[in-house]
Amino acid sequence: MSTLTQGSLAPDFDLPTDGGSRIKLSELKGRKVVLYFYPKDNTSGCTVEAIDFSARQADFEAADTLVIGVSPDSVQSHERFRKKHKLSITLASDENKAMLESYGVWEEKSMFGHKYMGVVRTTYLIDRDGRIARTWEKVKVKGHVDEVLAAARSA
């Protein structure tokens, strides 16, 4: 799992997003950022998590916190995912997985005896100085967004 700990400088990234934009962590200094990593667009847990974060977007904005969902899916996949579920949060694409690896969330997984590489559902709260304020590893979706919002409000 990740070697990033509370107080660590969050690795910078520059990723394409849905809507044809790019997002770069170093340009977000002065704001809190929630980076949540998820395995795949349009899967059950990932869809619930994205809808939950979108439903609370105004609350995150009131806490001066930007929410960014990251997966290895393409920008085009993110755009379809956003449209299908009326998502309002930013979705970033890391198809080459360099950023996923820098955050320690691209790992070997196993299902029914089959080993494969994939994203371990993880969330980071990054403070205004670009440091890790809180980490949630191997996230269970139910209730997660409320817990992240409470941490963002108090950070």
Side-chain angles (χ1 to χ4, degrees):
M1 200 62 210
S2 174
T3 58
L4 297 175
T5 58
Q6 188 170 341
S8 296
L9 193 59
D12 196 14
F13 58 85
D14 181 356
L15 295 174
T17 66
D18 56 320
S21 297
R22 295 193 73 81
I23 194 150
K24 189 172 185 176
L25 183 62
S26 59
E27 293 176 355
L28 300 174
K29 281 222 171 137
R31 278 193 87 182
K32 293 176 281 185
V33 176
V34 168
L35 274 183
Y36 84 92
F37 296 92
Y38 66 99
K40 189 159 183 54
D41 292 341
N42 289 304
T43 55
S44 59
C46 298
T47 299
V48 168
E49 189 174 26
I51 290 170
D52 287 354
F53 271 117
S54 288
R56 301 302 297 271
Q57 184 177 8
D59 295 323
F60 280 101
E61 287 174 0
D64 193 31
T65 305
L66 176 66
V67 176
I68 305 167
V70 182
S71 85
D73 291 314
S74 68
V75 169
Q76 294 78 16
S77 176
H78 284 344
E79 288 173 352
R80 290 189 301 270
F81 185 44
R82 171 191 282 285
K83 185 176 180 181
K84 180 178 181 180
H85 299 287
K86 298 178 177 64
L87 304 176
S88 56
I89 55 171
T90 299
L91 299 175
S93 173
D94 185 22
E95 288 185 271
N96 71 12
K97 300 157 193 84
M99 186 259 206
L100 297 171
E101 289 177 358
S102 72
Y103 277 82
V105 301
W106 185 250
E107 293 186 356
E108 184 175 79
K109 298 169 92 175
S110 180
M111 184 183 294
F112 306 117
H114 172 69
K115 292 192 183 295
Y116 63 98
M117 295 300 290
V119 173
V120 176
R121 193 181 306 277
T122 305
T123 302
Y124 289 98
L125 174 60
I126 301 170
D127 69 17
R128 289 180 169 86
D129 296 321
R131 296 194 173 276
I132 305 294
R134 180 100 186 260
T135 304
W136 293 264
E137 297 178 346
K138 297 182 181 174
V139 167
K140 302 293 183 226
V141 173
K142 186 177 172 101
H144 179 61
V145 170
D146 291 334
E147 189 177 337
V148 175
L149 179 58
R153 285 177 169 153
S154 66

